[in-house]
Amino acid sequence: MRCLAFLVPAAVALVGCAKAQDLIVPGVRATCAGVGFPAIRVEVRRDDGRPIAAGATLIVTDGNFKQTTVETWSALTLEAADNRTGTYTVEVSKPFYNAVQIDRVSVPGGPCGAYHTVTVPITLEALPTAPQIRSVSVAQPGVGLDAGFHNQYTVWVDATPGADTSVTWSLSDPRVATIDQAGFLTAKCRTTDDILVIATSKQDPARRGTGRLGVFGNVCP
């Protein structure tokens, strides 16, 4: 919970709040805290409990407000609607799964925004025609890297039980960096454009995930 401080003579009263803004109360001026948090956090699992947020799309709507989240830093969660109160329709979709929609998800709040994050658990059911390898997603530890420095990349593979979830790591421009088959990358030199860090399913090479990398330092020969 974020706090709102009312500045009054000889006392400071604290009230939970969220957004960075001035709040005018008769006879008092107060400032809302500036640190934000998502109003909606969706936990996405399949029917066996495995987290499968990577590769999914979250859409939240409230009247004229609409936000789509397609990137994830987590195998479990997708987030949207920073600090915003409202009554939302929450929809999650993912290739090879039936989409799920939940209506009237209420996020309570006050003059400064949402009081807290509302967590919405969602279970996706695979389509009968779903392939064994459904998605490959690369968790990106950061876009920019100095030459000589390292990043450890992580991959999430959504697959049926018993399928081969191993991947082959590669780079769209091998001049820029090296990457081993555990996803450990070492930057070497800089090019004009970012390159792709690619994880390709060994069982189904048509399924792959990508992350971006930009390197600072000397230009590649």
Side-chain angles (χ1 to χ4, degrees), residues 131-199:
Q132 285 192 300
I133 306 296
R134 288 129 188 208
S135 66
V136 178
S137 302
V138 172
Q140 189 157 295
V143 175
L145 200 62
D146 287 323
F149 284 76
H150 313 282
N151 264 339
Q152 176 63 60
Y153 283 78
T154 301
V155 64
W156 294 307
V157 179
D158 179 15
T160 58
D164 181 2
T165 58
S166 60
V167 300
T168 300
W169 290 96
S170 62
L171 302 168
S172 61
D173 188 342
R175 296 177 303 160
V176 174
T178 60
I179 190 167
D180 66 19
Q181 292 311 299
F184 185 75
L185 180 143
T186 301
K188 294 166 55 180
C189 57
R190 174 171 58 89
T191 58
T192 303
D193 299 318
D194 290 351
I195 67 167
L196 296 179
V197 179
I198 306 165

Side-chain angles (χ1 to χ4, degrees), residues 1-220:
M1 180 178 293
R2 304 296 181 258
C3 292
L4 168 68
F6 289 90
L7 305 181
V8 295
V12 176
L14 297 180
V15 179
C17 245
K19 289 184 180 177
Q21 63 185 45
D22 286 337
L23 174 64
I24 306 302
V25 179
V28 181
R29 177 171 177 153
T31 299
C32 297
V35 179
F37 53 85
I40 299 285
R41 175 179 293 124
V42 177
E43 296 181 347
V44 188
R45 294 182 173 88
R46 65 189 193 192
D47 53 11
D48 63 359
R50 180 182 175 86
I52 55 168
T57 298
L58 167 66
I59 300 175
V60 297
T61 55
D62 174 29
N64 292 327
F65 175 85
K66 181 176 181 179
Q67 183 177 348
T68 301
T69 300
V70 295
E71 294 182 347
T72 182
W73 305 99
S74 165
L76 175 62
T77 60
L78 293 164
E79 299 174 342
D82 190 30
N83 285 352
R84 190 181 184 278
T85 62
T87 301
Y88 294 90
T89 296
V90 175
E91 182 178 357
V92 174
S93 60
K94 184 173 181 175
F96 309 116
Y97 287 87
N98 289 308
V100 171
Q101 178 176 306
I102 299 178
D103 298 321
R104 302 195 62 78
V105 176
S106 179
V107 178
C112 295
Y115 289 147
H116 57 79
T117 299
V118 173
T119 299
V120 181
I122 283 181
T123 300
L124 296 182
E125 181 181 349
L127 297 171
T129 55
Q132 285 192 300
I133 306 296
R134 288 129 188 208
S135 66
V136 178
S137 302
V138 172
Q140 189 157 295
V143 175
L145 200 62
D146 287 323
F149 284 76
H150 313 282
N151 264 339
Q152 176 63 60
Y153 283 78
T154 301
V155 64
W156 294 307
V157 179
D158 179 15
T160 58
D164 181 2
T165 58
S166 60
V167 300
T168 300
W169 290 96
S170 62
L171 302 168
S172 61
D173 188 342
R175 296 177 303 160
V176 174
T178 60
I179 190 167
D180 66 19
Q181 292 311 299
F184 185 75
L185 180 143
T186 301
K188 294 166 55 180
C189 57
R190 174 171 58 89
T191 58
T192 303
D193 299 318
D194 290 351
I195 67 167
L196 296 179
V197 179
I198 306 165
T200 302
S201 166
K202 289 184 178 179
Q203 176 165 321
D204 184 355
R207 310 289 174 211
R208 72 176 198 169
T210 60
R212 290 187 301 118
L213 171 69
V215 177
F216 309 111
N218 295 328
V219 176
C220 294

